[in-house]
């Protein structure tokens, strides 16, 4: 059943609506929320939500509990190819838990939290950004790792990256929900503004597998579940551009790297010169590779999981 | 005056990006002043340029105190300002969410790091700041509440208000907070407007900064009379949000004194011009902040009032 969880008037003849599809199983059970679209330029979650709503609506006999699917937490952003909250250029994942009487974006954040509150689990699907391509991975704050890693392992992803806590991240949706007792896992996969269908299908099966393991789904998952590699904060090496120019990758994500391997080159189309040859400083697995070719000094080019 | 280059970076096709500082006097690093960090902080850049002009004159007249050094950085982000963007042109990140910075990290982390290295050892840090919602303020000094009590020092700007703000998670990656953590006394000055120059509030702002520098013995200058500064905390404000959307027809600009029941603004229907809503003052108070766009969305903060 489609429900509107927040609405607000826009200046001329339009309401901003945040909606969810609430799918109730034929049996009692837990409540899972699948959310995406906080960043309007990240679309990988769209396919996952489509696969889930389509499948779950015709299989309510095998579902115990409620699955709430929120495909667009930032609907204006998605409809206008805007990462942030349009009008304010505000990162919507830095305003949680929100408040009732401050601003439109804060009120939206507040309503989202109010609606999800009380759920047992939430999966928050992101797609990195338009600049980077990522292996499917869960990102988990070290303080919540003990609670979450075993569930993240059910999601049919390649990696679980446990990162250090930072005060600024206390304003994310995941942090707010975890502090309210909703076990929330952030999934990052693919690239902004595109849909990587193979990843969407993997996560769809992963979510069904999670549901099966927590007693919400009694059907067959019909998929071999990948067990992810667990990576701690200092196990990841960041490669940043040393020159500004055009980045041409030599390797694709998922590549196994040896120390000294060329990851890509930064070139100048004006002079025809190679400005920088980007090599791996370590043996490892290429988990992130730059997708957007224009780079400045400092732009992230790759992340490597050290062996 | 000495012009120094604080940071340089090549760009794929534009002229190189630079951050310049203007150094006055020499000796103890006394005050650092940072202007526009975002591309729409035009008022902030304007105020900084006026401070450079005034300090140049004072220095030529021998009125910078012996042994005191002042650094002014009018712009940290000409790349965004030149193309009408607010945040960094490539990845839309906000330099003022990157402090203390990281010199081998992402581009804006590198910019923040180079800037912070240059300014972190100054005794006083003054940032000309702007708010993330569009609006006009009564010019004021804002400080983040930490263990250091710098209210009495903030009062030396003699602006109408010092707002002592409780830190929120995002403050931890902003300049003001990191300056304080590093041991500087950090003040954010809200100079009225952001994306347009308002001569009147600009002048109030640079005069306040000159008063501050004079009152702590950094410069000798002609004094401009100031205000008896009043201290404000989060609980001193009442926020009025719009319950409807449409044209925002403001009747009471920032600084207005209003009576209980007075109409502060009307929201008009964009199709037939009828009044959708009257925003009314709940008590006698003063307008501290007002939304400054012609259109307004529902739930948007239209006014922040100081409780009478
Ligand atoms: Zn995201």
């Amino acid at each position: 059943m489609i429900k509107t969880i927040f609405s607000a008037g826009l200046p001329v003849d339009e309401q901003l609506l945040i909606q969810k599809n609430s799918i109730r199983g034929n049996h009692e059970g837990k409540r899972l929320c699948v959310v995406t679209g906080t960043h309007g330029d990240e679309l990988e979650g769209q396919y996952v939500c489509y696969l889930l709503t389509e499948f779950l609506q015709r299989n309510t006999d095998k579902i115990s509990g409620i699955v709430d699917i929120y495909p667009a937490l930032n609907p204006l952003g998605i409809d206008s190819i805007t990462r942030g909250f349009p009008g304010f250029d505000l990162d919507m994942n830095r305003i949680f838990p929100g408040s009732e009487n401050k601003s439109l974006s804060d009120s939206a954040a507040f309503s989202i939290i109010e609606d999800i509150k009380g759920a047992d689990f939430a999966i928050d699907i992101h797609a990195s950004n338009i600049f980077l391509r990522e292996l499917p991975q869960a990102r988990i704050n070290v303080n919540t790792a003990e609670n979450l890693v075993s569930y993240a392992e059910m999601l049919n992803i390649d990696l679980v990256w446990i990162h250090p806590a930072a005060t600024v991240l206390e304003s994310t949706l995941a942090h707010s929900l975890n502090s309210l007792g909703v076990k929330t896992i952030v999934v990052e996969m693919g690239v902004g503004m595109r849909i990587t269908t193979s990843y969407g299908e993997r996560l769809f099966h992963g979510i069904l597998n999670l549901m099966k393991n927590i007693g919400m789904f009694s059907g067959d998952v019909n998929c071999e579940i990948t067990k992810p590699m667990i990576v701690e904060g200092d196990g990841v090496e960041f490669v940043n551009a040393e020159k500004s120019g055009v980045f041409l990758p030599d390797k694709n994500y998922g590549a196994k790297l040896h120390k000294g391997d060329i990851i890509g080159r930064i070139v100048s189309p004006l002079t025809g010169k190679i400005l920088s040859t980007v090599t791996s400083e370590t043996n490892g697995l290429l988990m992130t590779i730059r997708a957007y070719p224009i780079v400045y000094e400092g732009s992230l080019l790759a992340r490597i999981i050290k062996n | 005056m000495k012009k120094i280059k604080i940071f340089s970076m090549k760009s794929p096709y534009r002229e190189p990006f630079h951050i310049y500082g203007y150094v006055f006097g020499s000796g103890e690093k006394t005050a650092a002043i940072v202007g526009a960090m975002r591309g729409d902080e035009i008022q902030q850049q304007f105020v900084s340029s006026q401070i450079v002009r005034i300090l140049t004159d004072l220095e030529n007249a021998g009125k910078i105190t012996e042994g005191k050094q002042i650094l002014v950085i009018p712009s940290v982000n000409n790349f965004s300002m030149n193309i009408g963007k607010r945040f960094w042109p490539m990845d839309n990140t906000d330099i003022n969410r990157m402090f203390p910075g990281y010199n081998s990290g992402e581009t804006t982390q590198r910019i923040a790091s180079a800037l912070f290295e240059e300014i972190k050892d100054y005794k006083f840090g003054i940032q000309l700041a702007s708010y993330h919602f569009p609006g006009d303020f009564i010019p004021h000094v804002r400080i983040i509440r930490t263990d250091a009590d710098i209210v009495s020092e903030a009062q030396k700007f003699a602006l109408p208000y010092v707002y002592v703000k409780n830190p929120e998670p995002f403050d931890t990656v902003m300049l003001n907070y990191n300056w304080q953590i590093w041991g500087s006394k950090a003040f954010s000055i809200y100079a009225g407007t952001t994306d347009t120059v308002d001569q009147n509030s600009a002048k109030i702002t640079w005069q306040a900064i000159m008063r501050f520098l004079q009152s702590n013995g950094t410069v000798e200058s002609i004094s401009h009379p100031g205000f008896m500064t009043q201290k404000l905390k989060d609980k001193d404000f009442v926020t009025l949000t719009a319950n409807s959307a449409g044209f925002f027809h403001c009747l009471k600009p920032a600084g207005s004194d209003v009576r209980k029941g007075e109409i502060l603004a009307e929201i008009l229907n964009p199709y037939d011009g009828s009044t959708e809503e009257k925003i009314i003052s709940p008590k006698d108070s003063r307008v501290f902040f007002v939304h400054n766009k012609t259109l307004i969305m529902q739930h948007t903060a239209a006014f922040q009032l100081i409780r009478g």
Side-chain angles (χ1 to χ4, degrees):
Chain A
M1 188 171 64
I2 295 177
K3 293 181 183 163
T4 297
I5 65 151
F6 178 77
S7 78
L10 299 180
V12 187
D13 194 24
E14 186 187 353
Q15 292 283 318
L16 179 169
L17 303 178
I18 302 178
Q19 294 182 305
K20 68 172 179 182
N21 194 339
S22 190
I23 301 167
R24 186 178 282 274
N26 295 358
H27 316 279
E28 292 300 303
K30 295 191 162 69
R31 180 172 165 230
L32 164 71
C33 295
V34 178
V35 305
T36 194
T38 329
H39 295 134
D41 60 354
E42 299 181 15
L43 306 176
E44 300 278 8
Q46 297 302 307
Y47 186 46
V48 181
C49 288
Y50 164 71
L51 291 172
L52 279 171
T53 46
E54 193 280 327
F55 177 86
L56 296 175
Q57 287 180 133
R58 34 183 189 92
N59 287 280
T60 50
D61 56 321
K62 301 189 185 77
I63 299 170
S64 304
I66 298 170
V67 184
D68 280 335
I69 297 171
Y70 307 69
L73 292 187
N74 176 9
L76 296 179
I78 293 184
D79 277 21
S80 63
I81 329 180
T82 310
R83 182 173 180 77
F85 201 95
F88 306 103
D89 226 346
L90 198 74
D91 184 343
M92 214 178 146
N93 209 19
R94 293 288 181 278
I95 57 170
F96 287 97
S99 63
E100 243 177 323
N101 265 320
K102 205 167 152 199
S103 69
L104 176 60
S105 44
D106 281 279
S107 310
F110 180 82
S111 299
I112 291 166
I113 295 285
E114 284 299 302
D115 200 75
I116 298 177
K117 214 158 78 176
D120 300 280
F121 288 88
I123 311 287
D124 182 11
I125 307 170
H126 289 256
S128 194
N129 52 41
I130 64 166
F131 304 106
L132 303 170
R133 235 179 260 282
E134 308 262 9
L135 290 178
Q137 58 195 272
R139 300 247 174 106
I140 292 178
N141 178 321
V142 66
N143 297 332
T144 52
E146 203 184 326
N147 261 329
L148 297 178
V149 169
S150 58
Y151 298 107
E153 284 180 327
M154 298 169 188
L155 290 174
N156 197 25
I157 50 184
D158 287 336
L159 309 166
V160 174
W161 186 7
I162 301 170
H163 61 82
T167 311
V168 66
L169 299 180
E170 289 172 11
S171 50
T172 61
L173 174 63
H175 182 94
S176 290
L177 290 177
N178 275 309
S179 7
L180 290 168
V182 183
K183 292 188 179 67
T184 304
I185 298 169
V186 174
V187 174
E188 290 272 5
M189 63 181 195
V191 62
M193 292 194 188
R194 297 289 181 270
I195 286 175
T196 313
T197 47
S198 58
Y199 285 178
E201 281 151 20
R202 278 182 61 184
L203 185 59
F204 162 67
H205 286 112
I207 292 172
L208 286 186
N209 183 49
L210 170 78
M211 287 174 62
K212 194 171 174 79
N213 276 281
I214 59 175
M216 292 185 71
F217 178 60
S218 59
D220 291 324
V221 175
N222 291 327
C223 172
E224 175 109 19
I225 299 297
T226 304
K227 189 158 165 74
M229 188 191 283
I230 311 281
V231 194
E232 308 271 346
D234 56 359
V236 179
E237 175 149 313
F238 288 62
V239 183
N240 297 77
E242 288 312 319
K243 290 282 187 294
S244 300
V246 176
F247 177 66
L248 305 171
D250 277 40
K251 292 275 194 284
N252 206 347
Y253 57 169
K256 299 220 165 35
L257 297 175
H258 298 282
K259 189 176 173 174
D261 280 356
I262 295 175
I263 299 169
R265 291 157 296 152
I266 299 172
V267 302
S268 166
L270 184 63
T271 63
K273 296 250 163 39
I274 295 174
L275 303 173
S276 167
T277 303
V278 184
T279 55
S280 179
E281 305 263 300
T282 176
N283 297 332
L285 173 72
L286 191 62
M287 66 178 274
T288 307
I289 184 78
R290 185 154 186 105
Y292 194 80
I294 303 298
V295 297
Y296 276 86
E297 288 173 26
S299 294
L300 187 63
L301 302 177
R303 290 192 197 103
I304 302 165
I305 299 167
K306 296 184 246 184
N307 278 358
Chain B
M1 185 265 286
K2 207 167 69 207
K3 185 174 177 180
I4 58 168
K5 198 180 280 183
I6 291 167
F7 183 76
S8 281
M9 178 183 62
K10 284 190 177 151
S11 133
Y13 289 110
R14 296 174 71 173
E15 278 208 285
F17 171 79
H18 301 295
I19 301 175
Y20 293 109
Y22 292 79
V23 181
F24 299 91
S26 63
E28 186 201 12
K29 292 184 168 183
T30 306
I33 300 165
V34 176
M37 250 195 275
R38 298 172 178 151
D40 63 345
E41 292 178 344
I42 295 168
Q43 169 93 336
Q44 289 65 25
Q45 174 121 17
F46 179 68
V47 169
S48 307
S49 68
Q50 296 305 306
I51 290 170
V52 169
R53 176 181 64 79
I54 293 162
L55 289 175
T56 303
D57 289 347
L58 289 178
E59 189 165 48
N60 291 338
K63 289 184 172 173
I64 309 267
T65 307
E66 184 86 27
K68 305 266 189 190
Q69 182 171 309
I70 307 162
L71 169 66
V72 185
I73 301 170
S75 169
V76 181
N77 196 350
N78 71 315
F79 260 35
S80 298
M81 195 172 281
N82 284 341
I83 59 171
K85 282 198 64 168
R86 185 158 183 236
F87 298 132
W88 186 247
M90 166 62 40
D91 58 12
N92 212 38
T93 53
D94 184 358
I95 296 168
N96 202 18
R97 291 285 187 280
M98 294 293 160
F99 288 95
Y102 176 41
N103 64 8
S104 40
E106 290 267 1
T107 310
T108 44
Q109 290 178 314
R110 292 179 187 211
I111 294 170
S113 163
L115 176 66
F116 197 61
E117 267 309 300
E118 194 64 41
I119 60 180
K120 68 181 167 45
D121 296 323
Y122 280 80
K123 190 171 167 196
F124 301 110
I126 302 169
Q127 189 210 344
L128 292 152
S130 74
Y131 192 47
H132 55 281
F133 294 116
D136 296 336
F137 282 106
I138 300 183
H140 66 281
V141 189
R142 200 173 280 205
I143 56 185
I144 307 293
R145 193 180 56 77
T146 57
D147 294 338
D149 183 11
I150 58 171
V151 174
S152 59
E153 240 130 3
Q155 285 169 332
K156 291 180 182 163
F157 289 95
L159 280 169
Y161 294 100
V162 176
Y163 172 17
V164 186
K165 181 181 173 292
N166 287 326
E168 294 177 71
F170 63 78
D171 280 303
T172 59
V173 287
M174 293 176 73
L175 173 59
N176 185 305
Y177 183 89
N178 282 279
W179 240 339
Q180 294 233 58
I181 295 295
W182 195 259
S184 296
K185 293 174 177 173
F187 309 98
S188 298
I189 313 280
Y190 285 75
T193 58
T194 302
D195 58 0
T196 51
V197 171
D198 176 67
Q199 294 284 349
N200 190 34
S201 56
K203 194 168 178 184
I204 290 172
T205 307
W206 83 63
Q207 287 180 347
I209 291 172
M210 296 318 296
R211 262 196 308 271
F212 179 82
L213 293 176
Q214 187 193 23
S215 71
N216 59 35
T218 312
V219 301
E220 205 186 298
S221 104
I222 308 157
S223 192
H224 305 280
F227 299 85
M228 287 282 290
T229 308
Q230 194 186 329
K231 178 177 157 182
L232 296 171
K233 294 181 182 165
D234 290 309
K235 66 170 177 50
D236 295 322
F237 294 105
V238 184
T239 302
L240 303 181
T241 50
N243 292 319
S244 46
F247 285 118
F248 182 69
H249 182 204
C250 179
L251 303 169
K252 298 288 174 187
S256 306
D257 287 318
V258 295
R259 307 299 297 262
K260 179 178 175 176
E262 238 182 306
I263 301 170
L264 306 178
E266 290 175 334
I267 297 177
L268 306 177
N269 183 299
Y271 281 159
D272 61 21
S274 62
T275 303
E276 291 279 334
E277 180 188 354
K278 290 181 172 138
I279 300 179
I280 290 174
S281 181
K283 50 178 70 177
D284 292 359
S285 49
R286 178 166 296 160
V287 177
F288 183 70
F289 165 85
V290 58
H291 176 81
N292 71 356
K293 294 279 182 253
T294 319
L295 297 175
I296 195 161
M297 297 179 182
Q298 193 186 0
H299 301 305
T300 302
F303 289 92
Q304 238 184 337
L305 305 178
I306 302 165
R307 288 175 202 272

